[in-house]
Amino acid sequence: PSDLALLQACLVRLKAGPSQWSAALDLCRSSGQPWRAASLAGGLPYGRITPETSDDADLGEEKKEEGPVEFGNPDRALWKRTAWAMSRAIAGSASSPAASKASELEGAIYALLSDDTETGLANPSLRSWEDGLLIHLRSMVGRYVDEVLAAHNDVRRTVGVRYPYRGTEHGPYEREQLTSTSSIATLHEADIFRALGASPYKQVRDEASDPFRAAIAAFVTGSHEASAFVTRTANDASASSHSMLRFITHLAIYLDFAVPGFLPSLGDMASNGDDDGLPVREYYLLRYIELLTSDRGLWHLAALYTSLLPQPMLVDVFSQFLTCVHDDGFRRRVLRQMRDFFDDGVDLVVLRRTVRMMIFEGGEDPFGYPFLNLIRGGKQKKFGHRAARLDEMLSPSDICKMHSVRWLCYVPEHAPDALVCANLLLRELILKSKTDVVGDGEETDPALHCARVFLTRFLPSDTVKNALRQAAVEVEGAGKDQEGVLTVDEVEDASAEYGALEAYVDARVAYDRWRSVITSVSPECATPGASMASGSVEARIANKMERRNFIHQKRRIGLQVSDAANEARAKLMAVLTYEGGWLANPGIVSQESVVDEDEQTTRVQEMAGLRTSCLPCTVFLLHKVLDGTAEWMEVFLEDAARAYGEEGESMLSEIFGDRDVAAGPGYLYRSCLDIAKTVASDEFNLQESFNREH
C-alpha cells in the first residue's frame, strides 16, 4: 500500500493496543519498509530471559544449558527521546503548505510512542475525545514505566561502574524524558476528563458532553464519580432517549451482577415524584420497560426485561402491558416468551390479572387497535344480516372485554381460569341486560347481544370440557389439589355456573326468535274463492285443490310459530328447572382460593342479584310465549273456521298431525297455569327469588 494507507493502518493498530502493534510492524515489513518497522519498534524495554530446557529421556541426551536470550531495545531511552524530537519536528513543519497527510499521521504515531501529550493533543489526526483519553492514559502508563526503568538502571549503574550493564548507558536521556513528562506524574483521571472538557478544540469539547462519554469518564475516575453518574442520570434529560436509557439500564443490570453491593449503597430513587423510592436497578428497568411497551416495534423485548423485576412488580407491570396486546399471533408469541422467561406459574398469575383488568376497566386501546374487525367480514356473514345489524351496537370496549378472555384459551393449563373469567364477564353482561322491559330483545339490549356474541363467536365451545379435563389432570399428576391453581371443586362449581348463564342467554335468544316470528307471521291465510260453492265436478276439484293449498299454507305458518314457541318454551323452562336451582349454589368464600376473596364475595352477591332479576323475567317471558302463542292459535283456527266452517275447526290434527294437542290453544293456556306449580316447587328453589314487586 501507499505510505498514506500504511501509516493510517499503523496508527489504527497502535490505538488498538499492544496486541495489534506487532501486526502493524509486520505490515511495514511485508510492505517493503522494514526500516520503518525498525524505527517504530524501539519502545520495548531491554532485558534478558533464560529459556526453559527439557530433558529428552528417550534419546538419552544430556540436559543442555543455554545462555540467556536478550529481548527489547537496550537503547530505548535514546530511541524515545529521538521519537519525541521527531514528533515535535513534524508538528513544527505541519503549518507549512508542503506538509502532507502522511507526515501528520507519522507525527501522531511518534507522539503516541514517545508519550508526548502536548504534541499528540494538537495533532489533527488525534482530534477526538477518545484519542485525547488514549494519549493521556498512554502517557501515564509510559511515565510509570520510565520511572521504574530509570530507578532500576540507577541501581545497576552504581554496581557496574567499571563494566556497565548493557542498557544502562543512557542515563541523561532517561532523566531528560522524565523531566519532559513531569506534568504527567501528578495527573489523575479526573484531571484528564476536565482537560478534555476544556479542550481548545470544539469537536473534543462537544464529544466530552456526550452522556455515554460521561459514563466512561465516571467509571474510569472511580466509584464516587460512578455513583454520582448513576444517580444524576435519573434526572438528566438525555436519559429519556432510547439509546441512553437502554445504556444506563444495561449498566445497572451489569453492576447489580458484577458488584452486588454497589447499587444498594446508592439508596432508593424517587420515581415520577412519588414519595416511595425504588432501588436503582428496578428504577431504570421500569423506565426502560415503559419505553419498550410504548413502541409496538419493541414489544418483543418487553417480556425479557420484565422478567428481571421482582415478582409482585413483574405481575403489575406486565399485566398493564398485556391489556394493550390484542393480535392473536402476537399474543401467542408473548405467551411463549412469558413461559420461557418467567418462573413457572407466573404467566398464569399475570394473565389472571390482565383479563380481570380488561373486563373491569374496559376502555379504549391507546394504540387504536381495530376491535370492530374482530366481528366484521366473514364472521358476520356466517351469522346473517341481522347479526351484522346488531353488531353495530357493540362498542370497541365491549369487544375488548370479550377478546380479553382469549388470553386464557391458548394453552390447556389456563382453561379453568378461562372458565372463571368467562363467568365473570357473563355475569356483568347479564346484570346489565334488560329484565323489567324486554322490548325488542337484542335490538334494544346491547348487553344481551354482547353476551350472545361472546358465547358464539369468542369463547371456544369446548372451554368447559377442557377446564374439567385440566383440573382432573392436575389432581391426577399431584395426587391432590395443587397450589396456585383452581381446585376441582372450584372448576366444577364454575362449570355449573357457566351452564346456568349459558342456558339463560339461550333462553333469551330463543324468546327473541319467537317474538320475531309471531309478530311477522300472520295467522290468517287468503280466503278460498266462491267457486267452492258450485256443485260441478270442476268446482269440486278446484275446491279440493284450494283446500289443499289452504292447509299447506296453514301448516307452513303454523309449524313456524309452533316450532319457535316450543324452542322458546323448552329453553325458558330449562332455566326455571335447572338442576339444583338456577345459580342457587354459589359456593363458599375461601381464603385459600387463588381467586381474590373480594371477587368471591362479589360473585356471590352478583349471583343472588341475577336470581332476583332473571328468574322473574324468565317466568314472565315463558308466560308471554305460551299466552301469545295461544292467542295466535285462536286466530289461526278462527280463520280456518271462517273458510271451511265446522270442517275448519277440525283441521288442527290435519295441519299439525300428532302435535295437534301441544299446538292447541287450550293446552297452551293450561301450560300457563302450570308455570305457577313450577315456581311453587321446592325442587328448583325459585320462590325465594320472587318478592312483592314481582
Side-chain angles (χ1 to χ4, degrees):
S2 65
D3 283 353
L4 179 62
L6 178 62
L7 289 170
Q8 286 176 331
C10 289
L11 180 58
V12 169
R13 286 166 173 77
L14 176 59
K15 292 194 291 185
S19 62
Q20 292 295 316
W21 183 233
S22 60
L25 301 179
D26 291 340
L27 181 61
C28 291
R29 298 184 188 100
S30 63
S31 300
Q33 298 187 16
W35 58 270
R36 189 183 296 279
S39 69
L40 298 177
L44 184 64
Y46 172 75
R48 295 187 298 175
I49 185 172
T50 303
E52 295 182 0
T53 58
S54 61
D55 184 8
D56 195 338
D58 294 337
L59 299 178
E61 296 180 358
E62 294 182 359
K63 186 175 182 179
K64 298 180 180 180
E65 294 185 2
E66 298 182 5
V69 177
E70 295 184 345
F71 65 89
N73 182 11
D75 302 315
R76 178 180 179 275
L78 175 61
W79 172 87
K80 199 162 187 177
R81 292 308 301 163
T82 303
W84 181 288
M86 290 181 65
S87 72
R88 293 287 173 116
I90 294 173
S93 63
S95 59
S96 66
S100 64
K101 181 66 176 177
S103 296
E104 177 187 306
L105 293 170
E106 191 170 23
I109 292 173
Y110 281 118
L112 287 172
L113 292 175
S114 63
D115 302 330
D116 189 351
T117 305
E118 181 182 349
T119 305
L121 292 173
N123 192 292
S125 295
L126 299 174
R127 197 63 62 77
S128 70
W129 184 87
E130 284 79 5
D131 290 337
L133 178 60
L134 174 67
I135 291 169
H136 281 100
L137 294 180
R138 277 188 62 96
S139 298
M140 291 177 69
V141 174
R143 165 76 187 194
Y144 178 77
V145 172
D146 290 342
E147 289 177 349
V148 172
L149 291 177
H152 178 66
N153 289 337
D154 284 344
V155 173
R156 300 188 72 181
R157 276 189 284 267
T158 59
V159 175
V161 176
R162 179 173 295 183
Y163 303 103
Y165 289 98
R166 191 179 183 192
T168 63
E169 300 92 338
H170 304 293
Y173 293 118
E174 292 175 359
R175 288 186 288 276
E176 183 180 345
Q177 178 68 16
L178 291 175
T179 301
S180 299
T181 59
S182 59
S183 62
I184 303 296
T186 58
L187 194 67
H188 296 284
E189 288 83 357
D191 301 327
I192 295 175
F193 296 112
R194 279 194 294 270
L196 293 175
S199 171
Y201 306 107
K202 183 177 184 301
Q203 178 183 345
V204 179
R205 292 197 305 272
D206 292 343
E207 291 177 349
S209 62
D210 176 72
F212 293 103
R213 293 181 174 90
I216 296 174
F219 280 86
V220 170
T221 302
S223 60
H224 178 72
E225 287 296 324
S227 302
F229 171 79
V230 172
T231 54
R232 182 177 66 249
T233 305
N235 299 318
D236 192 344
S238 63
S240 60
S241 69
H242 182 186
S243 57
M244 187 58 193
L245 185 55
R246 178 179 59 192
F247 167 75
I248 191 65
T249 301
H250 285 83
L251 179 62
I253 294 172
Y254 169 76
L255 290 173
D256 183 66
F257 172 77
V259 192
F262 178 73
L263 293 182
S265 68
L266 305 183
D268 291 345
M269 303 177 69
S271 175
N272 298 326
D274 294 341
D275 294 334
D276 297 332
L278 291 171
V280 176
R281 175 177 174 273
E282 282 70 27
Y283 173 81
Y284 283 115
L285 270 172
L286 284 176
R287 290 187 59 182
Y288 189 54
I289 293 168
E290 182 181 358
L291 185 146
L292 295 176
T293 55
S294 65
D295 185 347
R296 293 174 68 96
L298 300 174
W299 280 4
H300 62 285
L301 300 172
L304 174 62
Y305 287 93
T306 309
S307 68
L308 302 175
L309 293 172
Q311 182 169 325
M313 195 179 297
L314 180 156
V315 173
D316 188 41
V317 170
F318 210 67
S319 298
Q320 189 66 47
F321 162 60
L322 293 185
T323 60
C324 300
V325 180
H326 307 292
D327 179 72
D328 266 325
F330 194 77
R331 279 185 172 187
R332 294 178 186 274
R333 180 179 179 182
V334 172
L335 181 56
R336 286 194 298 270
Q337 291 178 334
M338 291 166 63
R339 294 165 75 85
D340 288 341
F341 299 143
F342 296 176
D343 292 338
D344 291 343
V346 176
D347 59 313
L348 180 54
V349 177
V350 170
L351 291 181
R352 283 174 181 154
R353 181 176 174 82
T354 299
V355 175
R356 284 166 171 80
M357 289 172 65
M358 297 175 75
I359 291 176
F360 292 141
E361 299 174 9
E364 300 294 333
D365 178 62
F367 296 93
Y369 184 81
F371 288 108
L372 295 178
N373 290 347
L374 294 173
I375 59 172
R376 286 174 177 167
K379 293 185 176 181
Q380 285 183 325
K381 292 179 180 179
K382 178 181 177 183
F383 291 94
H385 296 293
R386 181 172 181 268
R389 188 177 70 255
L390 293 174
D391 287 346
E392 295 177 359
M393 300 187 302
L394 298 177
S395 68
S397 178
D398 294 331
I399 302 171
C400 177
K401 291 180 179 182
M402 293 188 285
H403 190 50
S404 68
V405 182
R406 284 183 175 172
W407 264 120
L408 295 164
C409 298
Y410 297 125
V411 295
E413 293 90 334
H414 301 166
D417 286 274
L419 182 59
V420 170
C421 289
N423 289 343
L424 191 154
L425 178 57
L426 285 172
R427 290 197 306 271
E428 176 184 310
L429 293 173
I430 296 174
L431 281 169
K432 290 181 180 179
S433 66
K434 297 180 180 179
T435 55
D436 295 335
V437 181
V438 176
D440 294 329
E442 290 184 67
E443 295 181 0
T444 58
D445 196 345
L448 177 62
H449 178 64
C450 189
R452 183 168 76 90
V453 170
F454 174 64
L455 289 171
T456 56
R457 287 188 254 173
F458 281 86
L459 191 67
S461 58
D462 57 354
T463 299
V464 174
K465 180 175 65 177
N466 290 340
L468 293 171
R469 182 191 299 121
Q470 182 62 31
V473 167
E474 290 172 351
V475 171
E476 182 179 351
K480 60 179 181 179
D481 289 330
Q482 293 180 291
E483 293 184 2
V485 298
L486 293 165
T487 65
V488 173
D489 291 340
E490 287 177 313
V491 176
E492 290 177 347
D493 189 32
S495 174
E497 179 188 353
Y498 175 83
L501 297 172
E502 183 183 34
Y504 178 77
V505 175
D506 287 346
R508 288 292 302 272
V509 172
Y511 169 80
D512 287 348
R513 191 178 297 114
W514 168 84
R515 184 191 53 78
S516 176
V517 169
I518 206 165
T519 55
S520 61
V521 176
S522 174
E524 298 178 336
C525 295
T527 305
S531 61
M532 59 185 290
S534 176
S536 65
V537 174
E538 293 81 356
R540 287 197 300 272
I541 294 174
N543 288 340
K544 286 182 180 179
M545 292 180 64
E546 288 179 352
R547 185 178 185 279
R548 187 181 300 113
N549 289 336
F550 183 78
I551 293 175
H552 176 74
Q553 292 181 42
K554 284 290 189 180
R555 180 182 296 114
R556 179 178 57 80
I557 62 175
L559 290 178
Q560 190 175 353
V561 171
S562 177
D563 288 345
N566 288 337
E567 181 188 12
R569 174 189 178 187
K571 292 190 174 181
L572 289 166
M573 281 297 296
V575 174
L576 297 178
T577 60
Y578 196 81
E579 183 179 359
W582 191 79
L583 297 182
N585 300 301
I588 60 173
V589 177
S590 172
Q591 295 181 347
E592 299 178 356
S593 174
V594 296
V595 180
D596 183 76
E597 190 172 344
D598 290 339
E599 183 180 325
Q600 295 181 68
T601 303
T602 302
R603 172 177 177 263
V604 173
Q605 295 170 350
E606 289 179 346
M607 291 174 72
L610 286 170
R611 283 178 56 82
T612 302
S613 60
C614 294
L615 288 177
C617 176
T618 302
V619 171
F620 170 75
L621 296 180
L622 178 58
H623 182 273
K624 194 169 183 179
V625 168
L626 296 174
D627 186 64
T629 306
E631 291 179 356
W632 190 92
M633 284 296 177
E634 284 183 337
V635 178
F636 179 86
L637 293 177
E638 289 173 359
D639 178 59
R642 282 194 302 271
Y644 290 98
E646 294 181 359
E647 183 182 359
E649 296 178 357
S650 62
M651 281 185 180
L652 194 62
S653 60
E654 192 172 353
I655 294 173
F656 292 103
D658 56 359
R659 297 164 56 181
D660 63 327
V661 176
Y667 176 80
L668 293 171
Y669 282 132
R670 289 193 299 273
S671 297
C672 289
L673 299 176
D674 290 339
I675 297 176
K677 296 180 181 179
T678 303
V679 173
S681 173
D682 294 334
E683 181 180 358
F684 307 114
N685 298 318
L686 297 175
Q687 296 182 52
E688 63 184 27
S689 300
F690 290 80
N691 53 38
R692 294 179 181 178
E693 296 179 1
H694 298 109

